[in-house]
Amino acid sequence: MTAPVTTPAAARDAARGTGAPPAPHRRRRIQHPGAIVAFVAPFGLLFLLFYLVPIGYAIYQSLLVVEREGTYGAATEVFGGLTQYALVFQNEAFWTSVGRMLVFGVVQVPIMLGLALLFALLLDSPLLRGKKFFRLAFFVPYAVPGVIAAIMWGFLFSPNLSPFQELTKQVDFLSADLVLWSIANVVTWVFVGYNMLIIYSSLLAIPAEIYEAAVLDGAGQGRIAWSIKIPLVRPALILTAIFSIIGTLQLLAEPQVFRSFSSAVTSTYTPNMTIYATSSIPNVNLAAAFSVVLALATFVLSFTFLRITRKKAEA
């Protein structure tokens, strides 16, 4: 007699019929761990050298103080604990600049993201003609370096250099009351296209079937934009808002350029300008403490904003 041949499928079925437990699932072994390490190692090395090491060095520098033997003695760095951080919280100019940037962000960021969302919706609308031209026109300002953009707008705002002198001589855009919003104009002009591209990419990822269903239900383009597009691109809006919060507290190039056009912009006008001026004294240890505190403040604001928006989305 010939013994019956049992296939793997038959054996599995027989085991199930008799109530036998299925064989445990074995995890597949990684076939090429060396290749994974080879791909990850360049990023890991660069991340370590240009991100983690500078952060660690800044924290280390912020814990040191400079001591001298006598008035003209040699300077030596010794461990000072939290001495530099005590000076940070006593520095009125630094916290004034932080407050100025918070006011700047509360006004400028919503306007910039609102324009970016509007432009993205226009590009995604079937009613707009010449989309390639407008997509390029909206994005081109971002290709202009921030320093060049600040110089260009500085000349346009200058009463004696502007081609619109009839306006600039009546309204001093570089005065102490308006120079902050002139800088906000430059930042908005540069970064609207960048944020628009992120939101527009999110709009392109929405399935067309959703729009077709809305049209069959009688919804117009305005209703589709308000009830479908904007809610679905909320993650992109949150992402751009976080980027904008971080960029606001790190503002440096534009106000630094505007110092040559307006005496209202001081060396401590923004937190980063305060850090730069402090390190130029030189007082590297206090500048490092400023940097650490500013980084922590940026993290807290970004994380708080993310938590608030996530709770609203889950509600």
Side-chain angles (χ1 to χ4, degrees), residues 7-20:
T7 63
R12 194 163 51 242
D13 294 339
R16 289 176 181 173
T18 57

Side-chain angles (χ1 to χ4, degrees), residues 68-233:
R68 294 180 182 273
E69 295 181 0
T71 305
Y72 302 102
T76 57
E77 289 184 336
V78 297
F79 180 76
L82 301 178
T83 302
Q84 301 293 356
Y85 291 96
L87 295 176
V88 169
F89 288 98
Q90 295 172 8
N91 193 293
E92 184 178 351
F94 176 74
W95 294 108
T96 300
S97 67
V98 171
R100 184 180 293 114
M101 287 299 97
L102 291 177
V103 174
F104 177 95
V106 167
V107 177
Q108 186 268 337
V109 171
I111 293 176
M112 178 179 64
L113 296 184
L115 290 174
L117 176 61
L118 176 62
F119 293 158
L121 291 173
L122 287 174
L123 289 178
D124 195 58
S125 173
L127 304 178
L128 183 68
R129 298 292 180 267
K131 291 185 179 181
K132 292 183 179 180
F133 168 77
F134 286 107
R135 184 167 61 241
L136 181 62
F138 293 153
F139 186 73
V140 158
Y142 181 69
V144 179
V147 174
I148 304 301
I151 293 173
M152 180 186 70
W153 281 99
F155 277 108
L156 291 176
F157 288 140
S158 179
N160 299 322
L161 302 174
S162 174
F164 311 103
Q165 293 188 7
E166 294 183 359
L167 175 62
T168 55
K169 287 184 177 180
Q170 295 179 2
V171 181
D172 188 1
F173 293 100
L174 300 177
S175 64
D177 295 330
L178 295 179
V179 69
L180 180 64
W181 311 117
S182 299
I183 296 172
N185 174 80
V186 179
V187 176
T188 302
W189 183 79
V190 171
F191 287 97
V192 160
Y194 170 78
N195 293 297
M196 176 213 70
L197 195 62
I198 295 176
I199 299 171
Y200 182 58
S201 300
S202 182
L203 286 171
L204 293 178
I206 299 175
E209 293 80 2
I210 298 178
Y211 301 146
E212 294 172 358
V215 171
L216 290 175
D217 288 339
Q221 291 300 318
R223 184 66 177 177
I224 291 174
W226 181 260
S227 300
I228 297 177
K229 293 183 178 181
I230 293 178
L232 289 179
V233 299

Side-chain angles (χ1 to χ4, degrees), residues 101-102 104-106 108-110 112-113 195 237-251 294 297-306 309:
M101 287 299 97
L102 291 177
F104 177 95
V106 167
Q108 186 268 337
V109 171
M112 178 179 64
L113 296 184
N195 293 297
L237 289 173
I238 295 174
L239 178 66
T240 54
I242 292 175
F243 286 166
S244 301
I245 291 171
I246 296 172
T248 296
L249 290 176
Q250 294 181 348
L251 198 62
L294 181 61
T298 304
F299 171 77
V300 169
L301 284 175
S302 303
F303 183 75
T304 302
F305 175 81
L306 183 61
T309 52

